[in-house]
C-alpha cells in the first residue's frame, strides 16, 4: 500500500506539504463550477474504512481486521485546523485567524451534495438533477484529529468516543483536558460529572491480587470549568502517573498511563496583533515538528527484497519495544503501521515458499496485520497493560512469520 496516501500520516504527524498542496488543489478544481476535464488533477483516492473503526483505513476492499465488518468507501483528505479553535479549518497550512497558533493537520472526508436534495451524498463531483454542479463538502472525520491541543500527551478512551490530554503545566499540578470524538472540548457540566484521580504511586499486591494505590489525588473541575485538575505530589522527571476515570458515575473506570519527559509547554500563541496569516510561512517550515523524520521514513517505500523486508520488520519490532519502555504509547502507531505495511508487502512472496511454509506463513501474515492494528489502537488508548498484551501477541505473530519465511532466504 502506498504510504504517502495514508491518512494516518495526515492525522498526527507532520506531513509532506507539497503532496497535500496537490491534493488540496485537486479538491478546489473539483469544486469549481466547470466540469472536470481529463486534465484535471486527480481526486484523493477512494479508501476503504470500517463503519465502526474509523481508524482502520485500507487501500483494498475487504473486512475490518478488528471486527470483520465489510469496509465501506470513503474519500479522505487533509485540512488544517487550529489546535484550540475547531471552527477554524482551512484547506492550507498557516495560522489561526483568531489566535495565531500554527494550524495542525487533520483528516476530513470529501463528499458532494446537491442543493435541495437533502440525502444526496456522492463520492465524486458531477452534475445535479437540475443541471448545476454538485457542491463539495469537507467533513472532519471522527478521530480525524489526534493532535494534543495543549502540548500534552493525548489518548483515546476505550469507549472510542472520549479523548484525553494530560499536561503538567507546572510542578505539582496535573491538568486533564477531555474531548469528544471530533476533538471538541467537553462542556463544563460533562466534566463535572466525571470522577477520577491521578495515581503517582501504586503497587500490585500479589497476596490479594489487587493494586494498592499509595498516592492518589482527586481530579476536580478547574476554576474556569474547562479542564480537570489534581494537585499532585512533587514529580521528578521523567514522571509516570496513571489517571483513572469514569466519564459518568455508572460508566466503567478506565486507566490511562502517562509519562512526561518534562513539564508541559503550551504551543506558542503569538500576539494577536502580530498574527498575519498570509505573511507567515507554512506551519511546517516555521515550527519544525520533531516527528518530521518519521514521516520521511514512512514516505520511503518498503525495501524491495524479501530479506530486507524481514530485516525491516525486526527493526520495527525493536522500535515498538523501545517506545513501550519509554511510555511513549501515542507514537507506537508509526512503527506498527510500517509493520502492517511490511506484512502486506510480503504477501506476494508467499508464493515462493514451500507448501509447509506457505501454510504457516499465510495465517502468520494475517496475524501480524491484525496485531499491528491492535498495537496501533491500544497505543492510542495509553493503557500500559493492554499495550503489553498487544505487544506480546504482535511479537508472537512476527516470530511465526519470520520462521515461515527465513528457510528460503
Ligand atoms: Zn471494525
Ligand atoms: Zn485559534
Ligand atoms: Zn480518536
Amino acid at each position: 500500500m502506498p504510504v504517502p496516501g495514508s491518512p494516518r500520516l495526515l492525522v498526527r504527524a507532520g506531513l509532506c506539504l507539497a503532496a497535500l498542496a496537490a491534493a488540496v488543489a485537486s479538491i478546489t478544481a473539483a469544486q469549481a463550477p466547470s466540469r472536470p476535464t481529463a486534465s484535471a488533477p486527480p481526486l484523493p483516492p477512494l479508501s476503504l474504512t470500517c463503519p465502526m473503526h474509523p481508524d482502520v483505513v485500507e487501500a483494498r476492499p475487504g473486512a475490518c481486521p478488528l471486527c470483520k465488518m465489510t469496509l465501506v468507501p470513503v474519500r479522505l483528505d487533509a485540512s488544517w485546523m487550529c489546535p484550540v479553535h475547531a471552527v477554524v479549518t482551512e484547506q492550507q497550512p498557516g495560522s489561526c485567524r483568531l489566535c495565531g497558533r500554527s494550524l495542525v493537520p487533520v483528516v476530513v472526508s470529501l463528499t458532494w451534495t446537491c442543493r435541495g436534495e437533502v440525502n444526496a451524498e456522492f463520492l465524486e463531483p458531477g452534475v445535479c438533477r437540475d443541471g448545476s454542479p454538485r457542491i463539495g463538502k469537507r467533513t472532519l472525520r471522527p478521530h480525524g484529529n489526534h493532535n494534543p491541543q495543549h502540548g500534552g500527551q493525548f489518548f483515546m478512551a476505550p469507549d472510542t468516543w472520549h479523548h484525553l490530554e494530560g499536561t503538567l503545566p507546572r510542578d505539582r499540578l496535573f491538568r486533564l483536558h477531555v474531548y469528544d470524538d471530533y476533538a471538541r472540548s467537553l462542556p463544563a457540566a460533562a466534566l463535572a460529572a466525571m470522577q477520577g484521580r491521578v495515581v503517582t504511586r501504586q503497587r500490585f499486591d500479589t497476596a490479594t491480587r489487587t493494586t494498592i494505590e499509595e498516592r492518589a489525588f482527586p481530579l476536580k473541575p478547574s476554576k474556569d470549568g474547562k479542564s480537570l485538575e489534581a494537585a499532585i505530589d512533587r514529580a521528578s522527571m521523567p514522571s509516570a502517573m496513571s489517571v483513572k476515570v469514569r466519564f459518568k458515575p455508572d460508566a466503567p473506570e478506565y486507566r490511562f498511563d502517562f509519562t512526561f519527559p518534562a513539564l508541559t509547554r503550551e504551543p506558542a500563541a503569538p500576539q494577536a496583533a502580530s498574527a498575519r496569516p498570509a505573511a507567515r510561512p507554512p506551519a511546517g517550515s516555521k515550527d519544525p515538528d520533531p516527528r518530521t523524520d518519521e514521516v520521511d521514513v514512512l514516505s520511503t517505500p518498503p525495501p524491495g527484497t524479501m530479506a530486507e523486508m524481514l530485516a525491516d520488520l525486526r527493526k520495527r519490532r525493536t522500535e515498538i519495544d523501545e517506545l513501550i519502555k519509554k511510555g511513549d504509547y501515542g507514537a507506537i502507531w508509526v512503527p506498527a503501521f510500517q509493520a502492517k505495511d511490511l506484512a502486506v508487502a510480503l504477501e506476494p512472496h508467499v508464493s515462493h515458499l514451500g507448501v509447509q511454509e506457505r501454510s504457516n506463513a499465510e495465517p502468520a501474515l494475517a496475524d501480524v496485520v491484525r496485531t499491528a492494528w491492535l498495537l496501533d489502537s491500544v497505543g492510542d488508548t495509553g493503557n500500559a497493560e493492554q499495550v503489553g498484551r498487544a505487544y506480546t501477541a504482535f511479537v508472537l505473530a512476527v516470530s511465526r512469520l519470520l520462521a515461515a519465511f527465513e528457510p528460503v532466504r
Side-chain angles (χ1 to χ4, degrees), residues 134 154 293 378:
R134 290 178 187 161
F154 189 99
D293 290 348
V378 296

Side-chain angles (χ1 to χ4, degrees), residues 50 52-53 64 66-67:
C50 173
M52 295 302 296
H53 298 102
C64 170
L66 300 178
C67 72

Side-chain angles (χ1 to χ4, degrees), residues 15 17 93 102 281-289 292:
L15 50 138
L17 294 173
S102 289
S285 60
K286 182 182 170 283
D287 234 314
D289 186 326
T292 305

Side-chain angles (χ1 to χ4, degrees), residues 55 142-146 154 156 163 181:
D55 260 16
H143 308 282
N145 182 5
H146 277 181
F154 189 99
M156 174 173 75
H163 294 72
D181 53 344

Side-chain angles (χ1 to χ4, degrees), residues 82-127:
C82 171
V84 294
H85 300 105
V87 290
V88 178
T89 304
E90 308 286 352
Q91 294 193 17
Q92 277 158 50
S95 48
C96 173
R97 59 187 144 83
L98 299 180
C99 72
R101 283 184 175 83
S102 289
L103 304 180
V104 295
V106 297
V107 172
V108 296
S109 64
L110 295 180
T111 52
W112 284 262
T113 184
C114 289
R115 230 179 287 281
E117 293 177 50
V118 185
N119 292 318
E121 200 167 33
F122 305 95
L123 287 168
E124 51 278 309
V127 180

Side-chain angles (χ1 to χ4, degrees), residues 92-344:
Q92 277 158 50
S95 48
C96 173
R97 59 187 144 83
L98 299 180
C99 72
R101 283 184 175 83
S102 289
L103 304 180
V104 295
V106 297
V107 172
V108 296
S109 64
L110 295 180
T111 52
W112 284 262
T113 184
C114 289
R115 230 179 287 281
E117 293 177 50
V118 185
N119 292 318
E121 200 167 33
F122 305 95
L123 287 168
E124 51 278 309
V127 180
C128 299
R129 269 187 252 159
D130 64 4
S132 65
R134 290 178 187 161
I135 305 153
K137 219 168 59 168
R138 305 172 76 87
T139 314
L140 180 68
R141 289 269 295 164
H143 308 282
N145 182 5
H146 277 181
N147 299 287
Q149 302 184 14
H150 299 275
Q153 204 174 5
F154 189 99
F155 292 130
M156 174 173 75
D159 63 13
T160 68
W161 193 84
H162 291 91
H163 294 72
L164 304 183
E165 179 181 358
T167 64
L168 279 187
R170 57 172 188 271
D171 196 24
R172 297 174 199 247
L173 179 67
F174 177 90
R175 191 174 283 154
L176 190 70
H177 301 272
V178 189
Y179 314 101
D180 67 10
D181 53 344
Y182 287 94
R184 294 172 297 209
S185 291
L186 237 53
L191 277 180
M194 285 175 57
Q195 298 172 350
R197 60 199 182 281
V198 180
V199 181
T200 58
R201 203 158 90 188
Q202 57 194 337
R203 65 183 169 85
F204 187 73
D205 183 65
T206 42
T208 57
R209 300 203 56 77
T210 49
T211 299
I212 295 169
E213 296 175 0
E214 294 177 323
R215 288 189 187 164
F217 306 90
L219 280 161
K220 295 177 186 148
S222 61
K223 279 202 189 93
D224 62 8
K226 290 180 178 168
S227 61
L228 296 175
E229 290 178 349
I232 60 170
D233 49 357
R234 179 176 286 275
S236 57
M237 298 299 166
S239 183
M241 57 199 70
S242 298
V243 166
K244 302 184 186 182
V245 288
R246 290 179 204 281
F247 292 107
K248 287 181 191 138
D250 58 343
E253 183 174 277
Y254 296 131
R255 169 178 169 167
F256 305 89
D257 296 311
F258 290 89
T259 303
F260 297 99
L263 290 180
T264 312
R265 282 174 43 213
E266 282 277 333
Q271 308 274 314
S274 71
R276 280 189 299 272
R280 286 165 60 94
S285 60
K286 182 182 170 283
D287 234 314
D289 186 326
R291 302 189 190 197
T292 305
D293 290 348
E294 290 169 357
V295 175
D296 289 343
V297 173
L298 277 169
S299 311
T300 315
T305 74
M306 199 172 88
E308 283 168 334
M309 283 193 272
L310 295 173
D312 209 21
L313 190 60
R314 282 200 172 83
K315 228 161 79 190
R316 302 305 157 213
R317 183 178 60 186
T318 308
E319 277 172 22
I320 294 170
D321 185 50
E322 283 162 2
L323 288 171
I324 291 174
K325 286 188 182 130
K326 271 198 299 187
D328 195 359
Y329 304 133
I332 291 175
W333 73 275
V334 176
F337 204 89
Q338 292 167 322
K340 189 216 97 179
D341 274 357
L342 282 164
V344 170

